Amino acid sequence: MSDDEEIPVLIEHDENYMTAKPPSQGVPLTIICGFLGAGKSTLLKRILTEQHGFRIAVIMNEFGDTADIEAKTINVASEGEESEEFLELANGCLCCSIKDTGIAAIEKLMQRKGAFDHILLETTGLADPGPIASLFWHNEEFATGLGRDISLDGVICVVDAMFGPQQMEEDHASDTVGESLRQIAGADIILLNKIDLVSPESVSATTAILRGVNPAAPIYHTMRAEIAVSRLLGVHAFTAPPEFPPAHEHGHDHDHDHDHDQHESAPEPTHYELRGISSLLVAVPALSRAQLDVLDEWIRTVLWEQRLPGDTEDPHTQPLTVLRCKGLFVLDNGVQYVLQGVRNMYEIAEAGDALGVPDAGKVVLIGTGLDARVRTSLECIWAG
Ligand SMILES: Nc1nc2c(ncn2[C@@H]2O[C@H](COP(=O)(O)OP(=O)(O)OP(=O)(O)O)[C@@H](O)[C@H]2O)c(=O)[nH]1
């Protein structure tokens, strides 16, 4: 698959831009986070038992009741006195139990490279996926040893359709940004699960809140985490251009149970005001190379210094913090760049020419303090 085994080198292009990297190297890793009791284990069980043809290594905090699902076909291969244990399942999945963040377990797993095509990492219910995502995200400056063997494919967040709204409400009410909102903010794919327990109106209302927090992630409505594995894995969320999907999607391939789609409006550039966390989606016109340079510097200042360029001190709004950003920029010569950012790490990489040319670029920032001043400051880059 990979052209060669060398550690990928990001080639500097002009001052700040990197040329397109080789397609993802290493084993792709997907992080699963989610609200307590939302259905993470249910999703994993499904993946561990279905015949999907993928050899997936699943790393979970504990096997718990998941281990008995295919007991007849499991070989326990205990790996030393550490917390790791491996189970090999009939459908090709490899299951690994961990008790901590599992870096050691993942390193051990990597020694079995070739035994699997994809790694799924389940986080505990209260974990913020951001730091874990940063750890695995390919980035020249931050790549750890593991970062060279593993490429981050995406972050899935499972939200409880029944209790999720309440959890988010409680998060809004607290002074700091709570974990449930951080999980939504950091997600590339959201499963709104347990929709059988609530009314269609409630599903729509919760979808709207999720969309407000994270306009860039597809939201699938699921029952018992029923969704095609291909929708979750191999999404290349950290290298592919973001799509800014419409507001309502289904987990089922055949959505014959036609919910009433509430496509209120396609995501116009909008600012969603939530107390805890907000997102800012801005349309970006075709840019000159010089404007892209300025935009790069703008993003760097916001992500690294938590302030707008030109601001010496933060005015009395909420602190400016960006947890996740994505964007697609089109230059006036047609060349496209993809922006990806997790917390203070970001990269603007030239997109391969496989893309169709979109009408215009877009950028979405997810975090706190993203008020109208932020939009204005951003739009000044191409206004003048
Ligand atoms: N009615 C209904 N129940 C569900 C659905 N999905 C999962 N459940 C049930 O909800 C409970 C919690 O699901 P889990 O998959 O264990 O949730 P989890 O996110 O792994 O939970 P924690 O690891 O404790 O955070 C279980 O009893 C599941 O059987 C669903 O779509 N509808």
Side-chain angles (χ1 to χ4, degrees):
M1 220 186 288
S2 57
D3 304 339
D4 55 51
E5 277 116 36
E6 278 179 22
I7 297 162
V9 176
L10 302 179
I11 304 156
E12 293 272 293
H13 184 66
D14 288 350
E15 300 110 325
N16 302 315
Y17 307 116
M18 299 168 218
T19 53
K21 291 181 293 182
S24 70
Q25 325 78 8
V27 180
L29 176 132
T30 296
I31 296 169
I32 299 182
C33 62
F35 296 12
L36 286 167
K40 299 180 293 298
S41 303
T42 305
L43 176 64
L44 285 171
K45 261 183 218 180
R46 191 170 280 289
I47 292 170
L48 290 173
T49 48
E50 255 175 33
Q51 293 303 323
H52 40 58
F54 297 101
R55 293 172 308 162
I56 301 171
V58 178
I59 300 178
M60 55 183 76
N61 288 298
E62 52 194 301
F63 291 128
D65 56 357
T66 311
D68 59 29
I69 48 174
E70 289 268 278
K72 57 186 185 310
T73 56
I74 287 170
N75 305 300
V76 176
S78 196
E79 298 272 322
E81 80 280 343
E82 295 285 322
S83 53
E84 308 88 30
E85 268 188 289
F86 292 98
L87 306 178
E88 294 189 20
L89 307 186
N91 68 347
C93 289
L94 186 69
C95 201
C96 170
S97 162
I98 55 173
K99 294 213 170 64
D100 50 27
T101 49
I103 299 310
I106 295 169
E107 276 169 347
K108 281 225 171 106
L109 195 62
M110 292 311 292
Q111 291 164 9
R112 300 182 161 222
K113 212 167 160 184
F116 51 87
D117 315 307
H118 203 107
I119 301 175
L120 274 182
L121 174 64
E122 182 199 9
T123 61
T124 58
L126 290 173
D128 172 1
I132 309 172
S134 320
L135 187 69
F136 291 109
W137 191 32
H138 267 290
N139 184 298
E140 193 179 23
E141 291 169 56
F142 296 88
T144 61
L146 273 178
R148 291 194 295 269
D149 293 334
I150 291 173
S151 67
L152 184 58
D153 186 50
V155 177
I156 300 169
C157 179
V158 187
V159 178
D160 188 325
M162 181 128 170
F163 296 113
Q166 188 189 333
Q167 282 167 307
M168 290 189 282
E169 190 55 46
E170 284 165 11
D171 264 2
H172 288 182
S174 68
D175 287 345
T176 55
V177 176
E179 299 303 342
S180 69
L181 291 172
R182 284 181 186 274
Q183 291 179 353
I184 295 163
D188 299 297
I189 296 171
I190 297 171
L191 300 192
L192 181 57
N193 189 42
K194 302 196 182 182
I195 56 161
D196 54 312
L197 299 181
V198 296
S199 65
E201 293 72 29
S202 170
V203 170
S204 296
T206 308
T207 302
I209 296 171
L210 296 171
R211 173 68 59 237
V213 175
N214 187 336
I219 300 172
Y220 297 113
H221 298 162
T222 58
M223 278 184 266
R224 304 211 164 265
E226 190 180 336
I227 182 167
V229 172
S230 58
R231 293 211 177 190
L232 306 179
L233 308 186
V235 298
H236 306 291
F238 288 79
T239 46
E243 282 181 17
F244 305 109
H248 191 93
E249 302 188 29
H250 299 269
H252 303 285
D253 287 331
H254 314 287
D255 59 28
H256 41 72
D257 55 352
H258 74 287
D259 300 20
H260 305 294
D261 277 10
Q262 312 257 309
H263 265 189
E264 264 102 340
S265 54
E268 287 292 311
T270 303
H271 178 225
Y272 299 89
E273 192 67 64
L274 290 173
R275 221 181 318 161
I277 227 167
S278 62
S279 61
L280 188 64
L281 179 60
V282 179
V284 182
L287 301 172
S288 67
R289 164 78 56 184
Q291 287 171 327
L292 184 61
D293 283 339
V294 177
L295 180 55
D296 181 67
E297 198 177 320
W298 189 95
I299 292 166
R300 193 168 18 193
T301 307
V302 169
L303 266 58
W304 293 5
E305 299 175 31
Q306 286 86 45
R307 65 174 180 88
L308 293 174
D311 275 2
T312 44
E313 58 190 59
D314 198 24
H316 49 273
T317 54
Q318 266 189 305
L320 183 57
T321 320
V322 176
L323 297 168
R324 186 84 169 92
C325 59
K326 297 185 183 192
L328 179 64
F329 308 130
V330 188
L331 293 201
D332 42 20
N333 62 8
V335 179
Q336 300 181 17
Y337 287 88
V338 173
L339 162 73
Q340 286 289 348
V342 177
R343 306 190 145 210
N344 62 0
M345 289 166 55
Y346 79 101
E347 155 181 287
I348 298 175
E350 191 177 318
D353 42 27
L355 301 168
V357 177
D359 293 343
K362 273 183 187 158
V363 61
V364 63
L365 306 174
I366 302 173
T368 62
L370 296 167
D371 55 23
R373 295 176 62 254
V374 181
R375 173 189 294 282
T376 306
S377 169
L378 193 52
E379 288 175 341
C380 275
I381 295 170
W382 48 85

